[in-house]
Amino acid sequence: TSRPDDAIEAWETFSVFRVMRLKKQQTIELLTKLDYTQEVKRKFIEEVEAHLFEAHKDFLSNPMLTTMMLLTYEQFAEVPTKIHLFYQQAFMTLFVRHDSYKGVWKRKRYANLALDDFERMFSHFCAATYFREKFNFDDAEVRNFISDAMTAYAIRKPVEDVLKDLTESVCLLQPDGLKHTFVHRSFQEYFTSLFVLALPVDEVKDALDSVVRRLRSDSVLSMAYGKRPDLIEKGWIIPMLQEMCDTVASIDAEQDTKEFYINFFGSISVKPQSITFSMRDDDPRGWGLMAIRKLYGEDVNPYLNLDVSAYREKFQKAVEADQSLRNDVEMVFGSERIERFLAGSAKHLGTADIRDLTPAMVTAMGLRERAVYEKDALFALLSRVKAELDAREASHRGVFRVRG
């Protein structure tokens, strides 16, 4: 076997095969067959069977990354539950120990960059490509991104040597036909999070306002927060919450409910079990609220996790009982949809622009009550996050404060 190689692929008497994603049992079979310390393999396989495969399926369905995780497991004796720690360990494994199990032979290094210089350079590379939504690159592009990253940190090495290190020595990039791509997209996300954390605090918000729209599909924000929660709170969460509170401070949430929600969301959907809002592409604040729920989990239950499941059933009953309300709903969602909705053949009524809702619909959907609750919750959450951050910073200052 070999990494992708244009020279090999040009051999006319050879065919190129690529490996499919592994299933759990195949991953275990692969680990069983590896020539590796039996005790380490046994313990690792037990954890894969118990919980690791489900927690790290993307990694453990890839033969190379599975092997890398085994190396990481041996070096650190566990696979951490915090995702940013796993990628930190994975990078260390690739940079320092990859191929060490093959004996005394070590994979050749070309640029001979120190680990910290390599990490900073590749963080810049990943961030530059991530924010441009570039996930594969032709030869000219990959060299330009590497050159820009080295220039940013005054690294003077041949671009070709750094590219060889990335593809052959440390294995973070790989050739893919005529392109170069990440050996796994999650490495781009991890190193982008490191780049964000190295920014001055007053630049963090602009960076994360761009990141947050990808909340459902990647882990840049969660890894950055996991590694430096204080910086993310000071540089992004508190400024975002403060901006939200300033925006809605003068709005009467009960009377001007649509105005309140339009500041954060664009549309509203009546789904089988709930009535939910959709984010605005031109404004990161709605995404920010979703991010806060994800980052803080159960800690924000008293603030932003209002149980809204009951509103859906109440809304349907109100539409069934009130012809005037039904007319409003029909005007907004369409006659065919309302008929199917009331007949029970369509559980999802549809999606509508918040601005199109009539006052009666706003009331029937429970939005007035929700808006009052959520406005109060924003101010309460902002106060709590600021107070907790201030307390932690005061504690940190107490460590080095000189007592006279």
Side-chain angles (χ1 to χ4, degrees):
T1 63
S2 173
R3 290 171 176 78
D5 189 313
D6 290 340
I8 294 175
E9 293 190 18
W11 296 352
E12 294 183 0
T13 56
F14 285 77
S15 298
V16 177
F17 293 86
R18 291 178 173 82
V19 181
M20 296 177 64
R21 294 170 68 87
L22 301 178
K23 298 179 181 178
K24 183 176 182 178
Q25 189 55 43
Q26 292 173 318
T27 297
I28 293 171
E29 290 176 9
L30 169 66
L31 291 167
T32 302
K33 294 175 182 178
L34 286 176
D35 183 13
Y36 210 79
T37 307
Q38 290 298 319
E39 183 63 14
V40 174
K41 280 201 309 182
R42 181 187 65 78
K43 291 180 179 179
F44 184 61
I45 289 172
E46 287 177 356
E47 296 211 34
V48 170
E49 288 180 319
H51 64 90
L52 281 183
F53 190 85
E54 286 70 24
H56 299 288
K57 190 172 183 178
D58 282 349
F59 263 61
L60 289 170
S61 60
N62 179 303
M64 191 206 78
L65 296 177
T66 295
T67 306
M68 186 192 71
M69 186 176 278
L70 175 62
L71 292 170
T72 302
Y73 181 81
E74 181 195 23
Q75 183 171 1
F76 297 97
E78 63 179 3
V79 176
T81 56
K82 289 188 175 181
I83 193 69
H84 73 277
L85 290 177
F86 170 73
Y87 283 100
Q88 178 180 312
Q89 293 179 2
F91 169 59
M92 290 291 294
T93 299
L94 286 171
F95 191 87
V96 178
R97 297 206 51 190
H98 187 56
D99 286 326
S100 63
Y101 68 90
K102 294 181 179 177
V104 295
W105 182 78
K106 298 284 187 180
R107 190 171 297 280
K108 181 181 178 181
R109 294 283 172 78
Y110 295 91
N112 291 315
L113 289 175
L115 186 147
D116 59 338
D117 288 335
F118 190 97
E119 181 179 82
R120 288 187 298 162
M121 178 277 301
F122 194 58
S123 295
H124 187 287
F125 176 96
C126 289
T129 56
Y130 176 89
F131 287 114
R132 290 171 175 80
E133 299 188 6
K134 295 285 294 183
F135 310 116
N136 54 67
F137 334 94
D138 61 30
D139 282 340
E141 288 174 328
V142 75
R143 285 168 171 78
N144 285 338
F145 281 122
I146 290 173
S147 178
D148 289 346
M150 290 195 299
T151 300
Y153 297 107
I155 296 172
R156 295 175 177 83
K157 297 286 184 178
V159 170
E160 190 63 31
D161 286 351
V162 175
L163 178 58
K164 285 183 178 180
D165 279 341
L166 286 169
T167 55
E168 298 178 20
S169 306
V170 188
C171 308
L172 290 168
L173 297 180
Q174 64 182 6
D176 184 11
L178 299 177
K179 299 278 190 175
H180 295 269
T181 188
F182 294 95
V183 68
H184 198 270
R185 274 279 308 282
S186 55
F187 278 110
Q188 185 189 33
E189 296 166 17
Y190 169 69
F191 282 96
T192 297
S193 75
L194 296 186
F195 179 86
V196 171
L197 293 176
L199 292 172
V201 67
D202 60 349
E203 296 181 17
V204 169
K205 187 175 185 301
D206 286 343
L208 291 184
D209 280 351
S210 299
V211 168
V212 72
R213 292 178 176 86
R214 307 187 202 178
L215 182 67
R216 292 193 180 105
S217 61
D218 72 34
S219 302
V220 172
L221 178 57
S222 59
M223 285 193 280
Y225 179 78
K227 191 173 181 69
R228 292 283 309 279
D230 288 4
L231 176 63
I232 301 306
E233 287 179 343
K234 179 181 289 187
W236 184 65
I237 292 177
I238 289 175
M240 179 184 62
L241 286 173
Q242 186 66 64
E243 182 181 331
M244 292 178 183
C245 290
D246 292 345
T247 299
V248 302
S250 61
I251 296 175
D252 185 327
E254 184 174 12
Q255 297 300 318
D256 301 316
T257 305
K258 288 200 298 182
E259 182 184 352
F260 173 81
Y261 280 119
I262 286 171
N263 282 288
F264 309 117
F265 307 107
S267 58
I268 189 167
S269 297
V270 181
K271 297 181 177 180
Q273 302 298 327
S274 63
I275 298 175
T276 61
F277 294 100
S278 298
M279 312 305 166
R280 287 171 47 182
D281 291 335
D282 63 341
D283 194 318
R285 289 177 294 185
W287 293 103
L289 289 174
M290 181 185 292
I292 289 173
R293 290 188 178 101
K294 181 177 181 180
L295 295 177
Y296 287 111
E298 293 184 357
D299 286 345
V300 297
N301 277 343
Y303 303 95
L304 297 179
N305 281 354
L306 175 65
D307 183 6
V308 297
S309 58
Y311 290 116
R312 163 63 168 75
E313 184 178 354
K314 290 179 180 179
F315 174 64
Q316 181 166 351
K317 289 181 178 179
V319 175
E320 292 171 342
D322 187 331
Q323 183 61 47
S324 176
L325 176 61
R326 175 172 173 169
N327 292 340
D328 288 351
V329 175
E330 182 176 330
M331 178 180 64
V332 174
F333 289 97
S335 57
E336 182 180 346
R337 282 190 173 274
I338 189 64
E339 292 294 339
R340 294 174 59 201
F341 176 68
L342 295 178
S345 58
K347 296 294 185 182
H348 185 183
L349 177 59
T351 301
D353 191 305
I354 294 174
R355 290 169 294 190
D356 293 336
L357 301 180
T358 66
M361 291 173 65
V362 170
T363 300
M365 288 178 172
L367 299 185
R368 300 189 192 282
E369 179 183 348
R370 287 177 62 175
V372 170
Y373 173 90
E374 289 172 341
K375 179 180 177 180
D376 290 343
L378 282 177
F379 285 88
L381 182 59
L382 174 61
S383 296
R384 172 189 157 177
V385 175
K386 291 172 70 173
E388 291 183 353
L389 179 62
D390 288 345
R392 290 196 300 272
E393 291 186 336
S395 176
H396 296 161
R397 288 192 295 271
V399 172
F400 57 81
R401 183 179 293 118
V402 177
R403 297 183 181 276

